[in-house]
Amino acid sequence: MSTSKNNSLRIVFMGTPDFAVGTLKKILEASFDVVGVITAPDRPAGRGRKVQESAVKQFAVQHNLKVLQPTNLKDEAFLDELKNLDANLQVVVAFRMLPKIVWQMPEHGTFNLHASLLPQYRGAAPINWAIINGETETGVTTFFIDEKIDTGNIVLQKTEKILPNDSAGTLHDRLMELGADLVVDTCKQIEAGTVTRQAQDESLELKPAPKIHKDTCRIDWNAPIKDIYNHIRGLSPYPGAWTQFVNDGKADQMKIFKTKMEQAEHNHDIGKLLAEKKSLKVAVKEGYISLLELQLPGKRRMQIMEILNGLNLDKEAHLR
């Protein structure tokens, strides 16, 4: 990583999850001066409830960057610290909504990276919803923040194909790389004074990308086969699509991460589980959904061959 600094921009970076780390890394590699990093406070996580630092904080500490972790973005002490960093640009990637006093602070403003082609898929989960809805193309957008969520003037966009077997995880990783390059290009344009701003087209029929809740993740086996397939891959690997697994008189929650579609005519009840020597499939309206990777209650995520070895299904076994 280069040690020489490009001193015309003084950047404060705001972000929390892995998706933001790739961008921060590329900003440093482009020799921009990052004067501070704002990220979420440390929080207990996992079964042991151990306190964990955000992915962005871990990366920032490794690279000796100043880190601030405010719980309240309007707190006077935090605002004073932020002003003292003397940044002239703020870059936001996968962070929370900023109050006006924060986003309007630097001379060059505050821009955000969003994992969709705005104005489509505004909201918290654009990658998931693009796949769930069966899109074949998405992308990344940089835009200047204004008073509403994901509505500001667009700077740059890049498109990315959604492949038929993409999951939210595989698409996330490609968009992370694409987005990191877009942020660097945006910084270079701001530094050179060549940046352009284009208003978002509000005349389009807009598709939202709201936060994913547990109810969102439940599989509807009565839906069309393609919708079921897209729903499962759009929630894989996180948070994971789930269903009720009914077997031997018990109903347990099962998570499903990877499937394959098999279109065929049959007379089975919807949701009926059919075990064969090397496969486990679910009867749906237009054929079968073959289960390839899933997680049974209290177990780790497994390939179907591992599960079939110890799985005893009764005649009435089904998913609902």
Side-chain angles (χ1 to χ4, degrees), residues 109-125:
T110 301
F111 78 84
N112 186 53
L113 172 69
H114 191 71
S116 80
L117 297 174
L118 290 173
Q120 298 298 351
Y121 294 106
R122 292 170 176 163

Side-chain angles (χ1 to χ4, degrees), residues 299-317:
K299 305 284 187 181
R300 60 181 173 82
R301 178 175 168 174
M302 289 187 281
Q303 303 285 330
I304 198 62
M305 287 305 295
E306 296 178 82
I307 290 170
L308 282 171
N309 291 336
L311 188 66
N312 294 312
L313 293 182
D314 69 20
K315 288 182 181 179
E316 305 302 319

Side-chain angles (χ1 to χ4, degrees), residues 81-210:
E81 281 190 286
L82 188 59
K83 281 175 196 164
N84 289 337
L85 293 174
D86 195 28
N88 57 14
L89 177 67
Q90 292 175 157
V91 178
V92 181
V93 181
F95 197 53
R96 51 187 152 144
M97 190 173 179
L98 302 180
K100 187 173 183 179
I101 195 169
V102 171
W103 59 257
Q104 71 175 5
M105 190 180 291
E107 173 192 351
H108 296 300
T110 301
F111 78 84
N112 186 53
L113 172 69
H114 191 71
S116 80
L117 297 174
L118 290 173
Q120 298 298 351
Y121 294 106
R122 292 170 176 163
I127 297 174
N128 304 94
W129 284 107
I131 295 179
I132 290 169
N133 289 343
E135 303 287 358
T136 57
E137 185 179 78
T138 185
V140 286
T141 303
T142 52
F143 69 97
F144 282 102
I145 288 178
D146 64 10
E147 282 154 328
K148 297 178 184 175
I149 295 175
D150 301 336
T151 59
N153 289 337
I154 290 170
V155 184
L156 294 173
Q157 291 187 316
K158 282 186 183 175
T159 60
E160 177 69 19
K161 287 193 184 306
I162 300 177
L163 305 175
N165 60 345
D166 262 329
S167 67
T170 58
L171 184 58
H172 165 283
D173 291 349
R174 295 205 306 280
L175 292 181
M176 181 172 67
E177 289 297 316
L178 198 68
D181 290 335
L182 200 70
V183 165
V184 170
D185 290 345
T186 303
C187 289
K188 287 177 179 176
Q189 287 192 6
I190 292 169
E191 173 199 43
T194 59
V195 69
T196 59
R197 304 170 185 238
Q198 181 180 343
Q200 295 187 32
D201 186 354
E202 297 285 346
S203 69
L204 301 169
E205 183 181 343
L206 299 181
K207 299 172 186 175

